[in-house]
């Protein structure tokens, strides 16, 4: 029997075991993203098609397509100050206007720096963008048979870069992660976790105070640099604290010089390739993935920050990878997992010879590994 006192993370362990199947999505969602919006789950597929899922009534609705598509990564999607946001690989940001039922460019949120896959996330009204910068390598070839010139464009991974945004500072580069390609990311309790390449990194920035004037207090009851309500709003979290008297020991002093990049800390990588990171009740989870034999798994794993390890936290009903995950929170918390893929013909399907009139051609068997399965688990 363990006689040690439980840590804070051990006290709040969440296990996801009571999974049930819901109605399938009307689309195959091999790579998708999802967020809660009011009573709906907003789902964005890699080809730009968008859906609303009414979780209480189990009803799907089709929406206008997003102006952007994604190739090798789930579409960038987040909910920021009540607005549904997505972004292109070039950094143009758009929002879905539910009243007009259309997409609109949000010019003041554009981040035209670099080009490559992106993940956007928000936490405590701070918006983050993780960009997998790529160097464009162009090679020109000549097509001899038709005497036409064509250009083949390829990209070389460089590194993932983290930006943060708020209305006062706009976009600011806060960290460079020397690993690529970008796979998944999530914000948990003010810490950004980024899965890139074979590694996972966490980034927690210090906070700095911002003075908020309060005319009801006498000027000699407080320090010149602090007020009754002090908002700590920097980097990864915004936190409000209230004091009737604040002294110098209450104010963080270990702030980095403005503009200096922060360092990300390497931590235990998710167990499975193709797993999806998501935060539930201040805990980081990974959903699904592919094992060492490239077979899909139904495992749900929970990250333990005390031991820097991944623990079993339940099993979905269906084994799959590259799923979309959303949290629907009302009086209870429901975890909804959508789509993904069952397997990959690249890894497990073998070619077979097909004879035609003139030659024998090796082809792969026609097989669609994408799924529209939707499952739900209620958090107690």
């Amino acid at each position: 029997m363990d006689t040690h006192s439980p840590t804070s993370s051990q006290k709040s362990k969440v296990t996801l075991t009571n999974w049930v199947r819901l109605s399938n999505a009307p689309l195959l969602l091999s790579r998708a993203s999802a967020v809660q919006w009011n009573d709906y789950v907003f789902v964005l597929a890699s080809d730009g098609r968008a859906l609303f899922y009414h979780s209480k009534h189990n009803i799907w609705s089709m929406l206008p397509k997003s102006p952007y598509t994604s190739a090798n990564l789930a579409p960038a999607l987040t909910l920021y100050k009540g607005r549904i946001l997505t972004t292109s690989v070039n950094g143009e940001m758009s929002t879905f206007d539910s009243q007009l039922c259309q997409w609109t460019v949000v010019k003041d949120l554009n981040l035209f720096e670099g080009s490559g896959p992106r993940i956007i996330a928000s936490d405590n009204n701070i918006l983050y963008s993780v960009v997998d910068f790529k160097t464009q390598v162009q090679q020109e070839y000549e097509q001899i048979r038709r005497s036409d010139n064509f250009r083949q464009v390829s990209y070389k991974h460089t590194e993932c870069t983290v930006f943060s945004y708020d209305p006062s500072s706009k976009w600011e580069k806060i960290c460079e992660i020397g690993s690529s390609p970008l796979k998944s990311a999530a914000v948990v309790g003010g810490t950004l976790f980024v899965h890139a390449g074979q590694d996972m990194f966490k980034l927690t920035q210090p906070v700095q105070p911002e003075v908020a004037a309060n005319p009801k207090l006498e000027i000699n009851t407080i320090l010149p640099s602090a007020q009754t309500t002090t908002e700590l709003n920097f980097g990864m979290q915004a936190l409000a604290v209230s004091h009737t008297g604040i002294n110098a020991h209450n104010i963080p002093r270990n702030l980095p010089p403005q503009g200096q990049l922060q360092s990300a800390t390497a931590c235990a990588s998710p167990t499975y390739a193709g797993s999806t990171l998501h935060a539930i009740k201040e805990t980081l989870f990974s959903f699904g993935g592919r094992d060492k034999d490239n077979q899909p798994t139904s495992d749900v794993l929970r990250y333990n920050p005390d031991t820097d390890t991944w623990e079993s936290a339940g099993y979905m009903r269906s084994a799959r990878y590259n799923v979309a995950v959303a949290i629907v929170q009302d009086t209870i918390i429901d975890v909804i997992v959508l789509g993904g893929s069952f397997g990959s013909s690249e890894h497990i399907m073998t070619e077979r010879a097909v004879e035609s009139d003139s030659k024998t051609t090796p082809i792969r068997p026609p097989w669609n590994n994408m799924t529209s399965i939707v499952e739900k688990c209620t958090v107690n």
Side-chain angles (χ1 to χ4, degrees):
M1 180 176 179
D2 187 2
T3 58
H4 295 287
S5 299
T7 64
S8 58
S9 64
Q10 291 174 327
K11 290 179 181 178
S12 58
K13 283 187 176 180
V14 177
T15 302
L16 307 176
T17 56
N18 56 338
W19 291 92
V20 296
R21 283 283 301 273
L22 303 178
S23 296
N24 284 10
L27 300 176
L28 292 172
L29 300 171
S30 60
R31 292 183 186 271
S33 296
V35 294
Q36 180 185 6
W37 186 83
N38 295 339
D39 291 333
Y40 297 90
V41 176
F42 182 90
V43 183
L44 187 60
S46 58
D47 63 359
R49 286 185 290 181
L51 302 166
F52 263 154
Y53 173 66
H54 198 295
S55 57
K56 292 183 178 180
H57 301 291
N58 201 18
I59 296 175
W60 289 92
S61 301
M62 297 291 294
L63 300 171
K65 291 185 67 173
S66 161
Y68 319 126
T69 59
S70 58
N72 298 320
L73 191 68
L77 185 70
T78 195
L79 191 69
Y80 174 61
K81 295 187 175 181
R83 292 193 295 181
I84 298 169
L85 295 178
T86 187
T87 184
S88 70
V89 294
N90 295 320
E92 184 179 57
M93 197 84 69
S94 289
T95 182
F96 181 75
D97 190 322
S98 60
Q99 294 182 339
L100 300 177
C101 198
Q102 66 181 26
W103 292 89
T104 304
V105 175
V106 188
K107 294 183 177 180
D108 61 327
L109 294 179
N110 289 339
L111 176 59
F112 296 128
E113 185 167 346
S115 177
R118 298 168 188 249
I119 292 176
I120 51 176
S122 59
D123 181 63
N124 292 325
N125 290 325
I126 305 296
L127 181 63
Y128 309 95
S129 179
V130 186
V131 184
D132 187 355
F133 280 103
K134 298 177 184 294
T135 302
Q136 182 171 302
V137 181
Q138 295 184 348
Q139 296 177 329
E140 295 185 0
Y141 300 90
E142 185 173 348
Q143 190 175 10
I144 301 176
R145 186 174 59 178
R146 294 189 179 182
S147 299
D148 293 328
N149 292 328
F150 69 95
R151 176 173 295 176
Q152 177 177 307
V153 180
S154 61
Y155 292 93
K156 179 182 178 181
H157 290 280
T158 53
E159 62 183 12
C160 295
T161 304
V162 182
F163 297 84
S164 68
Y165 175 92
D166 66 65
S168 61
S169 65
K170 301 300 181 182
W171 285 108
E172 179 184 0
K173 182 190 293 187
I174 60 174
C175 181
E176 292 179 348
I177 298 174
S179 187
S180 184
L182 179 62
K183 296 180 177 178
S184 188
V187 182
V188 183
T191 298
L192 175 67
F193 290 86
V194 178
H195 186 198
Q198 302 299 317
D199 305 306
M200 188 171 78
F201 302 86
K202 60 182 179 181
L203 174 65
T204 303
Q205 287 194 257
V207 294
Q208 69 178 8
E210 290 183 358
V211 177
N214 190 336
K216 295 183 181 180
L217 294 180
E218 296 294 330
I219 191 65
N220 58 2
T221 63
I222 57 175
L223 291 176
S225 59
Q227 303 292 338
T228 298
T229 301
T230 302
E231 287 193 3
L232 305 180
N233 186 356
F234 179 78
M236 304 308 297
Q237 63 180 341
L239 175 65
V241 295
S242 187
H243 298 283
T244 55
I246 300 178
N247 56 49
H249 298 289
N250 298 116
I251 302 174
R253 295 297 183 187
N254 57 341
L255 299 176
Q258 187 173 5
Q260 178 176 316
L261 297 184
Q262 304 303 300
S263 297
T265 303
C267 51
S269 179
T271 305
Y272 302 112
S275 62
T276 301
L277 300 178
H278 203 84
I280 305 171
K281 296 181 69 173
E282 303 298 304
T283 302
L284 181 65
F285 287 81
S286 75
F287 293 83
R290 297 196 313 269
D291 62 18
K292 61 181 180 180
D293 296 320
N294 286 310
Q295 299 303 303
T297 178
S298 62
D299 285 16
V300 179
L301 303 179
R302 175 183 55 237
Y303 178 68
N304 186 334
D306 297 326
T307 60
D308 189 31
T309 57
W310 290 90
E311 307 166 340
S312 178
Y315 303 91
M316 299 182 293
R317 296 176 66 90
S318 301
R320 46 204 167 124
Y321 60 93
N322 290 340
V323 298
V325 183
I327 303 299
V328 178
Q329 185 168 359
D330 192 358
T331 55
I332 58 175
I333 299 176
D334 287 333
V335 182
I336 298 181
V337 177
L338 310 98
S341 296
F342 288 127
S344 173
S345 58
E346 179 182 353
H347 300 294
I348 63 175
M349 301 297 287
T350 58
E351 293 181 346
R352 61 187 177 89
V354 175
E355 294 185 1
S356 62
D357 295 337
S358 59
K359 59 182 179 179
T360 299
T361 305
I363 65 170
R364 291 188 182 276
W367 180 58
N368 194 332
N369 66 346
M370 299 181 290
T371 180
S372 57
I373 285 177
V374 181
E375 296 182 16
K376 179 180 75 172
C377 179
T378 299
V379 180
N380 298 322

